[in-house]
Amino acid sequence: MTFPVIGMVGGGQLARMTHEAGIPLGIRFKLLSDTPQDSAAQVVGDVVVGDYRDLDTLREFARGCDVITFDHEHVPTEHLRALEADGIPVRPGPDALVHAQDKGVMRARLDAIGVPCPRHRIVSDPQDVAAFAAEGDGFPVVLKTVRGGYDGKGVWVVGSVEEAADPFKAGVPVLAEEKVDFVRELAANVVRSPHGQAVAYPVVESRQVNGVCDTVIAPAPDLDEGLALEASEMALNIAKELGVVGHLAVELFQTRDGRILVNELAMRPHNSGHWSMDGAVTSQFANHVRAVLDLPLGDPRPRAKWTVMVNVLGGDFPDMYSAYLHCMARDPQLKIHMYGKDVKPGRKVGHVNTYGDDLDDVLERARHAAGYLRGTITE
Amino acid sequence: MTFPVIGMVGGGQLARMTHEAGIPLGIRFKLLSDTPQDSAAQVVGDVVVGDYRDLDTLREFARGCDVITFDHEHVPTEHLRALEADGIPVRPGPDALVHAQDKGVMRARLDAIGVPCPRHRIVSDPQDVAAFAAEGDGFPVVLKTVRGGYDGKGVWVVGSVEEAADPFKAGVPVLAEEKVDFVRELAANVVRSPHGQAVAYPVVESRQVNGVCDTVIAPAPDLDEGLALEASEMALNIAKELGVVGHLAVELFQTRDGRILVNELAMRPHNSGHWSMDGAVTSQFANHVRAVLDLPLGDPRPRAKWTVMVNVLGGDFPDMYSAYLHCMARDPQLKIHMYGKDVKPGRKVGHVNTYGDDLDDVLERARHAAGYLRGTITE
């Protein structure tokens, strides 16, 4: 049989779960991983250990792959162009991916296609930040390095010009944004294939703790139908305009005055879509696989009234396996997803999914399990 | 973290799907495979290529495994005892597994614990078969070699004493059984853990074509509630009495006069349980993993009113991948499970699952997809 080979760059949990989703499709999966111990490298058969920043390594890896896709957004744009010039399909391609790599490019492009964003400007020093603040409602202002940030890293909320010095120390361009008065964060997840088919998952509510995703509720409770439709259409439009292939997560602010503004873009399976593994007809991982292979996409609709995902973070308690006994006995419907990572405080080492008809119950079960695995709940 | 290692003997599709189910639990999976090309060996990271009939190979493989379990029932009983003597938990253990390896032992034991079976007797030659036939309703009689048969192999339906010679040629003991007048075949799937917890999946209808499982409907349509309960309790009782650990499939005949009789036992995930991958809260594979690790078992209840599984058999059409386009576009809810095997006519190379509220629709979708993948349906 002539089943294709997907080459995935990066050995994190997204690659691990993409491999899991590819197995039933009979897809051959090849991994480029930093170490043999990385999350995905533990469970994939065909692993190349190497540095994705080295073009020769990438080229050697790409040989024999039918398509290249990504666990993360850190592969240099020029390397992706070189692979494309070698004739290897790169999905998403460099022209799309740059919008998830560089927040300055992303904001400029979203402005150009009329997508609502927080007020923003590239700033060059603290005085420039003060000027940006004065043009709006003053401090606080959000500062972000345009490249390299994630999970709250590379992001500062500054209350004065004195506090605005740190972000400039790295020598990376800095983007200033208004601190949005939001009531909650939402995420619109869509998947798009090369021939232009696209599907939209229900818009979810995403709750962050210390800048890290903690809880996702699918669908977002009490979300106005018009606003949900607007968010989905916005995400589909961004995917189309930017030429995204594969999964696109659009992180959104829902403002107090009833608007939605784009916060961040991610062009890969995303934490806000992990609920879909147990809560949707087709998971984000399965649809990402189908998209990068230009296969027809699967149904993104939910299978339950409510699905809740809660991340399992590393705590002070290194042995999560022994917590399985309690968690599984307490809730035989619980879906556990561990990433095979060593526990470090605050590190995402897994997630749990629960689903059902009663949101309070579904939330309580997921929170209890995640807390018990982390060690913050002990009964 | 101290996550356990499951060693699985046999590289077939059951091992492949067990690995898939173990990934989210963070379980380390080690495979003993006949070749590096076997179905599971393609997708598992830690693969040992070797012969399971060789005790030294098994012992070397078992080193570093926390528990040994199986893709098939062919490992010699004495080897399993040797591994146990080495201190390696073997699940299911040799004393249980022999009932799935030897049909003579199985029938004797089921008789002893009062489980209804077809009339049967070990026979020594064709004249003995004739005597067995005369004691009942005459020919036809079913003859089975007590070891080594599966998927219709090692089974003969003989209409006369003249036809009864072949089964004796292998020199293996032969079991004669009445040809049961059944209205359909059912399967009762249960999972049992070492500490004695057990769960029962809904009783399913299993339709065979040429002795090979073709279609499974979960739950079995129009099954009398009392009979369903009887079947589940029978399977749970067999699991307990035989000391089964892991998944047990009890294949049943539903007779014209409203009884159920045990046809075969399998002590591993089973074709009649593949529907559970998309149709149950916890799949048979996930529960097999949990059972062999003595973890609390997951909820076996269905997630949909009807789930249908149809096997994809190899046809004359070697390129199944190109059929994905049609199948996925026609039915975005279709769940495909391919095993990475080369196509040979009649070989099980995958299965499809569909689910929904309307059984006719669910059946039609699964049959269409399986037929299209095989190449027997071309529109």
Side-chain angles (χ1 to χ4, degrees), chain A residues 189-224:
Chain A
N189 286 292
V190 299
V191 185
R192 184 172 174 275
S193 66
H195 76 277
Q197 190 197 359
V199 294
Y201 285 91
V203 175
V204 299
E205 176 175 335
S206 171
R207 298 182 184 171
Q208 326 290 317
V209 174
N210 301 326
V212 178
C213 176
D214 178 81
T215 301
V216 170
I217 304 171
D222 303 318
L223 181 62
D224 176 80

mmCIF file of all heavy atoms in Angstrom, chain A residues 189-224:
data_model
loop_
_atom_site.group_PDB
_atom_site.id
_atom_site.type_symbol
_atom_site.label_atom_id
_atom_site.label_comp_id
_atom_site.label_asym_id
_atom_site.label_seq_id
_atom_site.Cartn_x
_atom_site.Cartn_y
_atom_site.Cartn_z
ATOM 1 N N ASN A 189 -11.106 27.345 17.119
ATOM 2 C CA ASN A 189 -10.204 26.395 16.476
ATOM 3 C C ASN A 189 -10.784 25.953 15.139
ATOM 4 O O ASN A 189 -11.929 25.515 15.070
ATOM 5 C CB ASN A 189 -9.999 25.181 17.386
ATOM 6 C CG ASN A 189 -9.103 25.486 18.572
ATOM 7 O OD1 ASN A 189 -7.918 25.719 18.402
ATOM 8 N ND2 ASN A 189 -9.684 25.529 19.762
ATOM 9 N N VAL A 190 -9.977 26.078 14.113
ATOM 10 C CA VAL A 190 -10.402 25.655 12.777
ATOM 11 C C VAL A 190 -9.277 24.835 12.140
ATOM 12 O O VAL A 190 -8.129 24.906 12.571
ATOM 13 C CB VAL A 190 -10.754 26.858 11.861
ATOM 14 C CG1 VAL A 190 -11.913 27.660 12.452
ATOM 15 C CG2 VAL A 190 -9.544 27.761 11.633
ATOM 16 N N VAL A 191 -9.641 24.049 11.164
ATOM 17 C CA VAL A 191 -8.648 23.263 10.414
ATOM 18 C C VAL A 191 -8.911 23.489 8.936
ATOM 19 O O VAL A 191 -10.066 23.471 8.502
ATOM 20 C CB VAL A 191 -8.765 21.759 10.743
ATOM 21 C CG1 VAL A 191 -7.648 20.970 10.052
ATOM 22 C CG2 VAL A 191 -8.695 21.517 12.253
ATOM 23 N N ARG A 192 -7.840 23.704 8.191
ATOM 24 C CA ARG A 192 -7.987 23.997 6.758
ATOM 25 C C ARG A 192 -7.023 23.129 5.961
ATOM 26 O O ARG A 192 -5.901 22.880 6.382
ATOM 27 C CB ARG A 192 -7.688 25.483 6.507
ATOM 28 C CG ARG A 192 -7.908 25.923 5.074
ATOM 29 C CD ARG A 192 -7.794 27.436 4.946
ATOM 30 N NE ARG A 192 -7.864 27.847 3.564
ATOM 31 C CZ ARG A 192 -6.811 27.876 2.733
ATOM 32 N NH1 ARG A 192 -5.607 27.521 3.157
ATOM 33 N NH2 ARG A 192 -6.954 28.263 1.476
ATOM 34 N N SER A 193 -7.507 22.655 4.825
ATOM 35 C CA SER A 193 -6.680 21.776 3.993
ATOM 36 C C SER A 193 -6.192 22.537 2.762
ATOM 37 O O SER A 193 -6.707 23.599 2.426
ATOM 38 C CB SER A 193 -7.484 20.540 3.599
ATOM 39 O OG SER A 193 -8.557 20.905 2.768
ATOM 40 N N PRO A 194 -5.173 22.013 2.085
ATOM 41 C CA PRO A 194 -4.584 22.732 0.942
ATOM 42 C C PRO A 194 -5.609 23.069 -0.149
ATOM 43 O O PRO A 194 -5.499 24.107 -0.800
ATOM 44 C CB PRO A 194 -3.528 21.755 0.408
ATOM 45 C CG PRO A 194 -3.170 20.906 1.576
ATOM 46 C CD PRO A 194 -4.417 20.776 2.386
ATOM 47 N N HIS A 195 -6.595 22.165 -0.349
ATOM 48 C CA HIS A 195 -7.556 22.474 -1.412
ATOM 49 C C HIS A 195 -8.656 23.405 -0.923
ATOM 50 O O HIS A 195 -9.592 23.702 -1.670
ATOM 51 C CB HIS A 195 -8.105 21.205 -2.067
ATOM 52 C CG HIS A 195 -9.124 20.463 -1.264
ATOM 53 N ND1 HIS A 195 -8.782 19.583 -0.266
ATOM 54 C CD2 HIS A 195 -10.483 20.469 -1.303
ATOM 55 C CE1 HIS A 195 -9.882 19.063 0.268
ATOM 56 N NE2 HIS A 195 -10.921 19.589 -0.343
ATOM 57 N N GLY A 196 -8.526 23.879 0.347
ATOM 58 C CA GLY A 196 -9.408 24.944 0.809
ATOM 59 C C GLY A 196 -10.600 24.500 1.628
ATOM 60 O O GLY A 196 -11.396 25.337 2.062
ATOM 61 N N GLN A 197 -10.762 23.195 1.862
ATOM 62 C CA GLN A 197 -11.834 22.787 2.764
ATOM 63 C C GLN A 197 -11.468 23.236 4.175
ATOM 64 O O GLN A 197 -10.292 23.220 4.561
ATOM 65 C CB GLN A 197 -12.017 21.257 2.760
ATOM 66 C CG GLN A 197 -13.279 20.821 3.501
ATOM 67 C CD GLN A 197 -13.283 19.332 3.862
ATOM 68 O OE1 GLN A 197 -12.353 18.602 3.553
ATOM 69 N NE2 GLN A 197 -14.362 18.906 4.523
ATOM 70 N N ALA A 198 -12.461 23.621 4.964
ATOM 71 C CA ALA A 198 -12.182 24.021 6.334
ATOM 72 C C ALA A 198 -13.324 23.601 7.240
ATOM 73 O O ALA A 198 -14.481 23.515 6.805
ATOM 74 C CB ALA A 198 -11.969 25.531 6.416
ATOM 75 N N VAL A 199 -12.998 23.295 8.464
ATOM 76 C CA VAL A 199 -14.016 22.980 9.474
ATOM 77 C C VAL A 199 -13.735 23.830 10.709
ATOM 78 O O VAL A 199 -12.591 24.182 10.989
ATOM 79 C CB VAL A 199 -14.015 21.485 9.880
ATOM 80 C CG1 VAL A 199 -14.436 20.608 8.714
ATOM 81 C CG2 VAL A 199 -12.665 21.039 10.430
ATOM 82 N N ALA A 200 -14.806 24.134 11.441
ATOM 83 C CA ALA A 200 -14.680 24.939 12.660
ATOM 84 C C ALA A 200 -15.192 24.139 13.851
ATOM 85 O O ALA A 200 -16.310 23.615 13.820
ATOM 86 C CB ALA A 200 -15.476 26.234 12.516
ATOM 87 N N TYR A 201 -14.376 24.027 14.876
ATOM 88 C CA TYR A 201 -14.815 23.443 16.149
ATOM 89 C C TYR A 201 -15.665 24.470 16.894
ATOM 90 O O TYR A 201 -15.558 25.675 16.645
ATOM 91 C CB TYR A 201 -13.588 23.052 16.985
ATOM 92 C CG TYR A 201 -12.912 21.804 16.470
ATOM 93 C CD1 TYR A 201 -11.890 21.872 15.538
ATOM 94 C CD2 TYR A 201 -13.337 20.554 16.894
ATOM 95 C CE1 TYR A 201 -11.290 20.714 15.053
ATOM 96 C CE2 TYR A 201 -12.749 19.393 16.413
ATOM 97 C CZ TYR A 201 -11.730 19.483 15.486
ATOM 98 O OH TYR A 201 -11.162 18.341 15.000
ATOM 99 N N PRO A 202 -16.507 24.011 17.797
ATOM 100 C CA PRO A 202 -17.247 24.980 18.612
ATOM 101 C C PRO A 202 -16.276 25.909 19.351
ATOM 102 O O PRO A 202 -15.202 25.474 19.768
ATOM 103 C CB PRO A 202 -18.022 24.105 19.600
ATOM 104 C CG PRO A 202 -17.542 22.706 19.433
ATOM 105 C CD PRO A 202 -16.859 22.627 18.111
ATOM 106 N N VAL A 203 -16.660 27.157 19.473
ATOM 107 C CA VAL A 203 -15.837 28.134 20.193
ATOM 108 C C VAL A 203 -15.831 27.755 21.680
ATOM 109 O O VAL A 203 -16.868 27.427 22.248
ATOM 110 C CB VAL A 203 -16.397 29.558 19.993
ATOM 111 C CG1 VAL A 203 -15.620 30.568 20.828
ATOM 112 C CG2 VAL A 203 -16.352 29.928 18.512
ATOM 113 N N VAL A 204 -14.640 27.738 22.257
ATOM 114 C CA VAL A 204 -14.496 27.312 23.652
ATOM 115 C C VAL A 204 -14.108 28.473 24.546
ATOM 116 O O VAL A 204 -13.603 29.498 24.080
ATOM 117 C CB VAL A 204 -13.423 26.199 23.782
ATOM 118 C CG1 VAL A 204 -13.832 24.972 22.970
ATOM 119 C CG2 VAL A 204 -12.041 26.707 23.353
ATOM 120 N N GLU A 205 -14.356 28.300 25.837
ATOM 121 C CA GLU A 205 -13.849 29.241 26.835
ATOM 122 C C GLU A 205 -12.539 28.681 27.385
ATOM 123 O O GLU A 205 -12.446 27.497 27.707
ATOM 124 C CB GLU A 205 -14.854 29.408 27.972
ATOM 125 C CG GLU A 205 -14.320 30.317 29.078
ATOM 126 C CD GLU A 205 -15.354 30.602 30.162
ATOM 127 O OE1 GLU A 205 -16.573 30.525 29.878
ATOM 128 O OE2 GLU A 205 -14.940 30.889 31.302
ATOM 129 N N SER A 206 -11.544 29.548 27.472
ATOM 130 C CA SER A 206 -10.223 29.132 27.936
ATOM 131 C C SER A 206 -9.868 29.956 29.166
ATOM 132 O O SER A 206 -9.852 31.182 29.109
ATOM 133 C CB SER A 206 -9.235 29.361 26.794
ATOM 134 O OG SER A 206 -7.923 29.181 27.224
ATOM 135 N N ARG A 207 -9.625 29.272 30.278
ATOM 136 C CA ARG A 207 -9.286 29.989 31.512
ATOM 137 C C ARG A 207 -7.799 29.811 31.805
ATOM 138 O O ARG A 207 -7.315 28.689 31.856
ATOM 139 C CB ARG A 207 -10.121 29.459 32.675
ATOM 140 C CG ARG A 207 -11.610 29.684 32.460
ATOM 141 C CD ARG A 207 -12.425 29.196 33.644
ATOM 142 N NE ARG A 207 -13.855 29.334 33.359
ATOM 143 C CZ ARG A 207 -14.825 28.833 34.128
ATOM 144 N NH1 ARG A 207 -14.506 28.168 35.229
ATOM 145 N NH2 ARG A 207 -16.093 29.003 33.798
ATOM 146 N N GLN A 208 -7.119 30.939 32.028
ATOM 147 C CA GLN A 208 -5.680 30.902 32.269
ATOM 148 C C GLN A 208 -5.405 31.125 33.756
ATOM 149 O O GLN A 208 -6.132 31.844 34.420
ATOM 150 C CB GLN A 208 -4.964 32.022 31.482
ATOM 151 C CG GLN A 208 -5.556 32.368 30.128
ATOM 152 C CD GLN A 208 -5.344 31.292 29.096
ATOM 153 O OE1 GLN A 208 -4.264 30.735 28.999
ATOM 154 N NE2 GLN A 208 -6.384 30.964 28.337
ATOM 155 N N VAL A 209 -4.332 30.512 34.230
ATOM 156 C CA VAL A 209 -3.833 30.799 35.567
ATOM 157 C C VAL A 209 -2.353 31.130 35.420
ATOM 158 O O VAL A 209 -1.589 30.329 34.866
ATOM 159 C CB VAL A 209 -4.035 29.593 36.507
ATOM 160 C CG1 VAL A 209 -3.361 29.856 37.859
ATOM 161 C CG2 VAL A 209 -5.516 29.294 36.703
ATOM 162 N N ASN A 210 -1.963 32.324 35.873
ATOM 163 C CA ASN A 210 -0.571 32.796 35.723
ATOM 164 C C ASN A 210 -0.097 32.726 34.273
ATOM 165 O O ASN A 210 1.035 32.312 34.002
ATOM 166 C CB ASN A 210 0.375 31.981 36.607
ATOM 167 C CG ASN A 210 -0.002 32.058 38.079
ATOM 168 O OD1 ASN A 210 -0.482 33.099 38.527
ATOM 169 N ND2 ASN A 210 0.188 30.969 38.801
ATOM 170 N N GLY A 211 -0.979 33.067 33.345
ATOM 171 C CA GLY A 211 -0.597 33.110 31.934
ATOM 172 C C GLY A 211 -0.557 31.755 31.263
ATOM 173 O O GLY A 211 -0.220 31.645 30.086
ATOM 174 N N VAL A 212 -0.908 30.682 31.985
ATOM 175 C CA VAL A 212 -0.892 29.337 31.410
ATOM 176 C C VAL A 212 -2.321 28.797 31.370
ATOM 177 O O VAL A 212 -3.080 28.947 32.333
ATOM 178 C CB VAL A 212 0.000 28.388 32.255
ATOM 179 C CG1 VAL A 212 -0.014 26.982 31.685
ATOM 180 C CG2 VAL A 212 1.422 28.928 32.332
ATOM 181 N N CYS A 213 -2.662 28.184 30.242
ATOM 182 C CA CYS A 213 -3.998 27.620 30.094
ATOM 183 C C CYS A 213 -4.258 26.607 31.214
ATOM 184 O O CYS A 213 -3.426 25.734 31.483
ATOM 185 C CB CYS A 213 -4.118 26.939 28.735
ATOM 186 S SG CYS A 213 -5.687 26.108 28.458
ATOM 187 N N ASP A 214 -5.395 26.745 31.862
ATOM 188 C CA ASP A 214 -5.726 25.842 32.973
ATOM 189 C C ASP A 214 -6.940 24.980 32.641
ATOM 190 O O ASP A 214 -6.895 23.769 32.764
ATOM 191 C CB ASP A 214 -6.008 26.693 34.222
ATOM 192 C CG ASP A 214 -6.410 25.850 35.409
ATOM 193 O OD1 ASP A 214 -5.503 25.309 36.062
ATOM 194 O OD2 ASP A 214 -7.618 25.711 35.666
ATOM 195 N N THR A 215 -8.013 25.633 32.196
ATOM 196 C CA THR A 215 -9.279 24.944 31.959
ATOM 197 C C THR A 215 -9.869 25.379 30.627
ATOM 198 O O THR A 215 -9.822 26.560 30.291
ATOM 199 C CB THR A 215 -10.294 25.293 33.075
ATOM 200 O OG1 THR A 215 -9.750 24.913 34.338
ATOM 201 C CG2 THR A 215 -11.633 24.606 32.858
ATOM 202 N N VAL A 216 -10.391 24.431 29.868
ATOM 203 C CA VAL A 216 -11.119 24.757 28.636
ATOM 204 C C VAL A 216 -12.494 24.124 28.723
ATOM 205 O O VAL A 216 -12.620 22.950 29.101
ATOM 206 C CB VAL A 216 -10.362 24.240 27.395
ATOM 207 C CG1 VAL A 216 -11.221 24.350 26.136
ATOM 208 C CG2 VAL A 216 -9.054 25.013 27.206
ATOM 209 N N ILE A 217 -13.518 24.922 28.414
ATOM 210 C CA ILE A 217 -14.893 24.429 28.424
ATOM 211 C C ILE A 217 -15.446 24.494 27.005
ATOM 212 O O ILE A 217 -15.434 25.551 26.377
ATOM 213 C CB ILE A 217 -15.790 25.275 29.352
ATOM 214 C CG1 ILE A 217 -15.197 25.319 30.763
ATOM 215 C CG2 ILE A 217 -17.215 24.714 29.381
ATOM 216 C CD1 ILE A 217 -15.918 26.308 31.684
ATOM 217 N N ALA A 218 -15.908 23.332 26.512
ATOM 218 C CA ALA A 218 -16.455 23.272 25.152
ATOM 219 C C ALA A 218 -17.908 22.832 25.199
ATOM 220 O O ALA A 218 -18.198 21.799 25.779
ATOM 221 C CB ALA A 218 -15.643 22.287 24.318
ATOM 222 N N PRO A 219 -18.817 23.577 24.600
ATOM 223 C CA PRO A 219 -18.604 24.917 24.035
ATOM 224 C C PRO A 219 -18.570 25.964 25.141
ATOM 225 O O PRO A 219 -18.906 25.657 26.285
ATOM 226 C CB PRO A 219 -19.841 25.103 23.146
ATOM 227 C CG PRO A 219 -20.906 24.282 23.801
ATOM 228 C CD PRO A 219 -20.213 23.114 24.433
ATOM 229 N N ALA A 220 -18.148 27.201 24.804
ATOM 230 C CA ALA A 220 -18.086 28.274 25.799
ATOM 231 C C ALA A 220 -19.477 28.509 26.365
ATOM 232 O O ALA A 220 -20.419 28.761 25.608
ATOM 233 C CB ALA A 220 -17.548 29.552 25.150
ATOM 234 N N PRO A 221 -19.652 28.432 27.685
ATOM 235 C CA PRO A 221 -20.985 28.580 28.281
ATOM 236 C C PRO A 221 -21.573 29.981 28.035
ATOM 237 O O PRO A 221 -20.840 30.970 28.059
ATOM 238 C CB PRO A 221 -20.743 28.371 29.786
ATOM 239 C CG PRO A 221 -19.404 27.727 29.900
ATOM 240 C CD PRO A 221 -18.618 28.168 28.709
ATOM 241 N N ASP A 222 -22.868 30.011 27.801
ATOM 242 C CA ASP A 222 -23.612 31.278 27.672
ATOM 243 C C ASP A 222 -23.037 32.220 26.627
ATOM 244 O O ASP A 222 -23.114 33.436 26.781
ATOM 245 C CB ASP A 222 -23.660 32.030 29.029
ATOM 246 C CG ASP A 222 -24.270 31.172 30.121
ATOM 247 O OD1 ASP A 222 -25.275 30.498 29.832
ATOM 248 O OD2 ASP A 222 -23.731 31.164 31.242
ATOM 249 N N LEU A 223 -22.422 31.680 25.612
ATOM 250 C CA LEU A 223 -21.878 32.550 24.562
ATOM 251 C C LEU A 223 -22.997 32.889 23.586
ATOM 252 O O LEU A 223 -23.680 31.999 23.080
ATOM 253 C CB LEU A 223 -20.722 31.852 23.836
ATOM 254 C CG LEU A 223 -20.048 32.655 22.716
ATOM 255 C CD1 LEU A 223 -19.410 33.932 23.262
ATOM 256 C CD2 LEU A 223 -18.994 31.805 22.014
ATOM 257 N N ASP A 224 -23.177 34.174 23.366
ATOM 258 C CA ASP A 224 -24.158 34.660 22.410
ATOM 259 C C ASP A 224 -23.927 33.994 21.044
ATOM 260 O O ASP A 224 -22.786 33.919 20.564
ATOM 261 C CB ASP A 224 -24.019 36.180 22.297
ATOM 262 C CG ASP A 224 -24.937 36.751 21.247
ATOM 263 O OD1 ASP A 224 -26.127 36.925 21.533
ATOM 264 O OD2 ASP A 224 -24.446 36.990 20.110
#
